[in-house]
């Protein structure tokens, strides 16, 4: 060990486990890439006010969890705690919404930072793959995103996840509900901090995890009963489209989520094998966000799925992804001349698309064969002076143990044929 360790609340992705992370990222992105979503990458940090305004001044993310910094030039920045505000900022800055092709559909993959109390499934640095569809109000778009996330999880073999669905209303009906909820909450027996929350963001109180709070919330007014006709019809359409697509979901009237910008459709993917950190992904419609960050009105919808928790969900279900061994052929030279010849062959095999590795460092046969075994390679190519004098190498099948001489000039073709 060195003097240093990974900072608290973080961990390193290390082979062979890191291959699972890559596979999860790819699996989540795959349905997006074939559904018109283009890849976007934004900086790891932004003007701190983008998140303060976008995510919400009263949210935990902004008040407690942001990593903020002042640069030497005096700029106030924050490491990004989430993806949506950045992606929308970038889309507006590049005028993507003016290209006459709405919705602007984008997907992203990257690192996010929140100063949280670390525990299993909750880290200070984590990864998300996300998707945003900007500039269009259409229930089919909300449904599309949920269907694509469902498809991604199913393609990984996950079965024990559930989709929770709710509507948060819009700027017409939500304020009416907000007042009714506040009136109800003010009469409850709650601590100071929660009382403050009632005034700033009462919907978040519904999200309180404490049993003594939840008990008092029975009988709280439900947003469902306050939705305006337009929101009701919109939500009904989303639900019908999901049902027609065969996506199973649960209506959850108490689902509010921790970010201020959501309107209408909100949803969360939860996994039942993860304990307290059960949300593997979530998202929803954010029709007001663009205006909140100084842009035009652009109704939009999106989600972000957590890569770390998706990997934990796979573990919980005992699913091992079929990640191919990174090496198909391992070359073991015996002696200096063989080193030169085999090193050349390794490059040729790689050019031909065969994943190949080489016994570096001039170790003996025994040590090199151990490495060959560990690499997971299906074939080993061994060559010493005698083989080379005969113009060939030994090709060993690591599964059957069989070995045969192959002429130097035939090796690439023979290996390709065997692996096909
Ligand atoms: P949120 O933006 O909070 O809705 O997060 C979306 C998804 O990102 C969650 O469902 C988690 O899978 C993941 N996520 C959020 N915060 C963390 C964290 N601190 N550690 C690990 N994953 C997280």
């Amino acid at each position: 060990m060195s003097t240093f360790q990974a900072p608290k609340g973080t961990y390193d992705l290390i082979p062979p486990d890191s291959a699972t992370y890559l596979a999860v990222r790819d699996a989540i992105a795959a349905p997006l890439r074939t559904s018109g979503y283009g890849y976007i990458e934004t900086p790891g940090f932004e003007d701190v006010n983008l998140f303060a305004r976008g995510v919400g001044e009263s949210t935990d993310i902004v008040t407690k969890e942001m990593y903020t910094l002042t640069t030497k030039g005096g700029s106030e920045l924050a490491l990004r705690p989430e993806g949506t505000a950045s992606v929308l900022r970038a889309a507006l800055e590049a005028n993507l919404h003016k290209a006459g092709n709405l919705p602007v559909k984008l997907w992203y993959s990257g690192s996010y930072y929140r100063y949280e109390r670390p525990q299993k499934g909750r880290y200070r640095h984590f990864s998300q793959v996300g998707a945003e569809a900007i500039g269009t109000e259409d229930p089919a778009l909300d449904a599309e995103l949920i269907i694509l996330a469902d498809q991604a999880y199913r393609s990984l073999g996950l079965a024990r996840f559930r989709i929770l669905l709710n509507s948060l209303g819009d700027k017409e009906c939500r304020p009416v509900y907000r007042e009714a909820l506040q009136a109800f909450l003010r009469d409850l027996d709650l601590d100071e901090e929660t009382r403050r929350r009632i005034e700033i963001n009462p919907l978040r109180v519904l999200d309180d995890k404490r049993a003594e709070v939840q008990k008092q919330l029975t009988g709280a007014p439900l947003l469902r009963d306050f939705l305006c006709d337009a929101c009701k019809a919109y939500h009904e359409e989303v639900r019908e489209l999901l049902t027609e697509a065969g996506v199973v979901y649960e209506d959850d009237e108490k689902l509010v989520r921790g970010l201020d910008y959501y309107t209408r459709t909100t949803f969360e993917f939860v996994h039942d094998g993860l304990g307290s950190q059960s949300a593997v992904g979530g998202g929803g419609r954010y029709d007001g966000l663009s205006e909140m960050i100084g842009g035009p009105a652009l109704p939009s919808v999106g989600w972000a799925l957590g890569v770390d928790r998706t990997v934990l969900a796979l573990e919980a279900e005992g699913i091992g992804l079929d990640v191919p061994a990174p090496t198909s052929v391992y070359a073991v030279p015996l002696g200096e001349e063989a080193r030169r010849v085999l090193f050349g062959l390794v490059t040729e095999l790689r050019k031909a698309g065969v994943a190949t590795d080489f016994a570096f460092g001039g170790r003996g046969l025994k040590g090199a064969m151990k490495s060959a075994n560990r690499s997971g390679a299906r074939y080993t190519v061994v060559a010493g002076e005698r083989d080379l004098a005969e113009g060939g190498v030994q090709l060993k099948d690591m599964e059957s143990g069989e070995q045969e001489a192959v002429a130097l000039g035939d090796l690439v073709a023979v290996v390709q044929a065997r692996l096909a």
Side-chain angles (χ1 to χ4, degrees):
M1 219 209 280
S2 81
T3 321
F4 301 104
Q5 289 173 21
K8 186 175 173 194
T10 71
Y11 64 101
D12 303 304
L13 293 177
I14 291 166
D17 296 348
S18 50
T20 304
Y21 282 77
L22 285 180
V24 165
R25 281 194 192 127
D26 287 348
I28 298 174
L32 298 169
R33 299 171 80 150
T34 52
S35 306
Y37 290 76
Y39 180 67
I40 183 168
E41 202 164 311
T42 64
F45 48 80
E46 296 273 354
D47 185 324
V48 66
N49 291 311
L50 172 68
F51 302 117
R53 274 202 237 159
V55 180
E57 310 264 12
S58 71
T59 59
D60 284 353
I61 292 180
V62 168
T63 54
K64 298 182 192 157
E65 296 170 3
M66 264 203 307
Y67 282 90
T68 53
L69 61 124
T70 309
T71 65
K72 292 192 176 72
S75 306
E76 302 286 337
L77 302 177
L79 300 188
R80 58 184 181 187
E82 61 103 48
T84 302
S86 309
V87 168
L88 187 56
R89 194 264 314 135
L92 290 170
E93 192 171 329
N95 280 320
L96 298 185
H97 59 297
K98 289 188 184 156
N101 193 18
L102 296 177
V104 177
K105 301 212 283 189
L106 302 165
W107 75 274
Y108 59 87
S109 171
S111 292
Y112 295 85
Y113 307 87
R114 292 183 195 174
Y115 189 73
E116 300 204 74
R117 197 170 49 76
Q119 64 187 95
K120 186 162 187 196
R122 186 199 280 240
Y123 311 105
R124 292 181 171 176
H125 164 260
F126 58 96
S127 298
Q128 289 182 340
V129 175
E132 315 290 350
I134 297 164
T136 304
E137 186 183 281
D138 183 340
L141 201 52
D142 308 40
E144 166 176 287
L145 277 160
I146 297 172
I147 291 166
L148 294 176
D150 181 75
Q151 217 172 303
Y153 280 148
R154 296 208 176 279
S155 78
L156 286 166
L158 288 169
R160 283 171 60 202
F161 67 90
R162 291 179 291 130
I163 302 172
L164 310 180
L165 184 68
N166 194 18
S167 172
L168 290 182
D170 63 8
K171 58 178 188 292
E172 302 302 318
C173 53
R174 186 140 100 222
V176 184
Y177 170 68
R178 192 174 185 272
E179 270 183 38
L181 181 63
Q182 279 176 324
F184 173 88
L185 294 173
R186 285 187 193 119
D187 286 340
L188 302 184
D189 177 24
L190 297 165
D191 58 275
E192 258 324 292
E193 195 187 335
T194 313
R195 300 200 75 82
R196 261 198 306 280
R197 187 169 286 166
I198 294 174
E199 303 312 318
I200 308 166
N201 197 342
L203 271 72
R204 292 287 320 285
V205 179
L206 298 177
D207 221 9
D208 202 305
K209 300 279 183 286
R210 293 170 295 180
E212 70 270 22
V213 176
Q214 279 303 324
K215 212 162 60 199
Q216 296 189 68
L217 291 175
T218 354
L222 291 175
L223 187 47
R224 182 187 54 190
D225 302 323
F226 287 76
L227 289 183
C228 60
D229 287 343
C231 282
K232 240 187 251 171
Y234 194 96
H235 195 54
E236 209 34 59
E237 176 91 18
V238 174
R239 295 175 73 245
E240 275 168 27
L241 289 169
L242 289 177
T243 304
E244 274 166 37
V247 172
V248 180
Y249 59 87
E250 297 168 21
D251 293 308
D252 181 354
E253 281 96 24
K254 287 199 176 145
L255 180 71
V256 293
R257 303 193 26 80
L259 296 80
D260 275 356
Y261 52 59
Y262 287 111
T263 49
R264 290 197 169 167
T265 314
T266 37
F267 49 90
E268 205 152 82
F269 285 72
V270 295
H271 193 276
D272 291 326
L274 295 189
S276 61
Q277 303 306 310
S278 62
V280 285
R285 185 155 272 287
Y286 48 92
D287 293 342
L289 180 57
S290 174
E291 287 160 293
M292 281 157 80
I293 63 169
L298 280 175
S300 307
V301 55
W303 51 241
L305 307 188
V307 177
D308 310 75
R309 287 189 200 165
T310 303
V311 170
L312 291 174
L314 288 169
E315 283 169 18
E317 290 201 38
I319 299 169
L321 294 185
D322 203 11
V323 284
T327 303
S328 300
V329 174
Y330 198 91
V332 177
L334 305 171
E336 196 47 39
E337 195 198 339
R339 228 168 97 78
R340 290 180 173 274
V341 174
L342 278 200
F343 191 67
L345 279 177
V346 164
T347 303
E348 270 182 51
L349 282 163
R350 288 175 178 168
K351 276 189 199 154
V354 178
T356 308
D357 206 355
F358 184 69
F360 290 97
R363 279 164 307 162
L365 180 62
K366 214 170 141 201
M369 286 312 282
K370 249 191 212 162
S371 300
N373 256 321
R374 238 180 263 140
S375 76
R378 176 67 199 272
Y379 294 100
T380 309
V381 174
V382 186
E385 267 168 47
R386 183 141 42 99
D387 302 300
L388 294 179
E390 287 166 11
V393 296
Q394 297 293 323
L395 181 65
K396 183 175 179 184
D397 183 330
M398 300 296 277
E399 263 175 36
S400 67
E402 274 166 36
Q403 189 166 315
E404 64 169 311
V406 176
L408 281 176
D410 295 343
L411 183 70
V412 172
V414 169
V415 166
Q416 276 182 316
R418 294 269 187 96
L419 288 170

